[in-house]
Amino acid sequence: METELQNLVFVWISVVTAQIYCRYISNLVHVGPKRLFFFLPVILLFLLLPLRLTTISLGGLTAFFVAWLCNFKLLLLACGKGPLAPPPPPSPPLSLPLFVAVASLPIKIGPSTGSAGAKNGGGGDGDGLKSPANYVTKCLLVVSLFPLYQRSDYVHEKVMMMAYSIHMYLGLEVALAAVGAAAGRLIGVAVEPQFDEPYLATSLQDFWGRRWNLMVTSILRPSVYDPVRSASGRFVGRQWASLPAMLATFAVSALMHELIFYYIGRKEPAWVVTGFFLLHGVAVVAEVVAKKALRGTRWRLPTEVSRLLTVGFVVVTGFWLFLPPLLRCDAVAKARRETIAVIECVKGLWSILRFISFNVISGH
């Protein structure tokens, strides 16, 4: 673990240094191919750096932040778009610390931040996230799964897969919220939550577009969806241009998930995860076509039914196509071991603090 922490420090010093370089280049070089040319070495570096890390908690998150989100933000910046591009006047450009934070971390800053926090159980002490009670409850739910893992040999496979799914979702949300809260406090801004209770989604569009991993959604829209939609409009018309754009967005997301899974397990892709996202892309397209066909009619599913069908489809297809490649990477076992190690570390620190406080109070 000591080597992993040393590698983590090296990786993030490299990331911050590279981001400072990119900020300097963006101030000197105009938008276009020339700026992209100067960014390409950094993009390649960001694809290689996660290979120095092996844990899922440190390596997996770093790969997600750097190889995916950061690289896409740099590609957008090369075109003068995205969260790193200078805002229109009279707003000032991003300061260097804010530029590095937004480039390197899954945080989104905007005028809607405050309302987002209020909508999602608000009161996150003004940081735009959900309430602390929300995240504490989710942490306790994750911890409650540990006894189940210890008896996994006696538990039905489907029950274990459901437990893994809950662990993955809650762990990812809490981890991203912790990073966002820490970054927000350091740079003095409010950030938006990354998840909006996806189990309440009433459609696949609602699930993927407005509730699940919203940082990815906000990056894929300007980098993939909007350009493909604009190009497709010339061939299929504006009414249907969104359909190929949706398919292209899910295809890019599939490839990036395959890359993240490779960083986690270092195993050759079996392209099963790609099947999961392409299937959902086709399902979202079918959903949009059905809504267009039924527009103007009174036929509509009750909210409870549409919610059950949406979540059921995500769970069933996830069990079929998403979880098996993740288990093949030994991700769940790694996450469980690393979580238990963190808990043991916290227990040890708590014992030390109690010992010190006892000695201070007793006068020794």
Side-chain angles (χ1 to χ4, degrees), residues 108-281:
K108 183 181 177 184
I109 303 167
S112 62
T113 299
S115 60
K119 183 184 75 169
N120 292 285
D125 299 326
D127 58 6
L129 299 172
K130 303 174 188 177
S131 66
N134 184 295
Y135 295 114
V136 170
T137 301
K138 288 171 179 174
C139 287
L140 293 176
L141 284 174
V142 172
V143 173
S144 70
L145 296 174
F146 291 166
L148 188 65
Y149 296 150
Q150 294 173 347
R151 298 174 177 82
S152 59
D153 293 339
Y154 307 99
V155 181
H156 194 278
E157 179 185 5
K158 299 300 181 184
V159 176
M160 290 305 304
M161 293 186 76
M162 178 61 73
Y164 294 150
S165 301
I166 295 172
H167 189 158
M168 179 186 67
Y169 155 57
L170 295 178
L172 185 60
E173 178 172 1
V174 171
L176 293 181
V179 171
R185 294 293 184 183
L186 286 173
I187 59 181
V189 297
V191 297
E192 294 183 1
Q194 298 300 314
F195 292 84
D196 185 11
E197 315 303 344
Y199 48 83
L200 298 179
T202 55
S203 68
L204 290 176
Q205 274 185 293
D206 185 30
F207 181 89
W208 291 113
R210 292 181 286 274
R211 293 186 180 273
W212 183 266
N213 212 346
L214 300 179
M215 185 73 251
V216 169
T217 301
S218 67
I219 290 298
L220 289 179
R221 176 173 288 277
S223 60
V224 180
Y225 179 86
D226 289 343
V228 174
R229 182 177 183 178
S230 178
S232 300
R234 308 169 190 171
F235 302 99
V236 298
R238 292 184 60 186
Q239 182 181 5
W240 302 106
S242 63
L243 304 187
M246 291 176 187
L247 290 175
T249 303
F250 275 94
V252 172
S253 180
L255 293 177
M256 295 312 298
H257 276 84
E258 293 282 6
L259 179 63
I260 299 301
F261 277 31
Y262 176 78
Y263 286 129
I264 293 174
R266 308 292 164 87
K267 295 182 179 180
E268 185 177 347
W271 305 109
V272 179
V273 178
T274 298
F276 171 83
F277 283 97
L278 292 181
L279 174 62
H280 275 256

Side-chain angles (χ1 to χ4, degrees), residues 87-99:
S91 300
L94 298 179
S95 64
L96 180 59
L98 191 56
F99 179 93

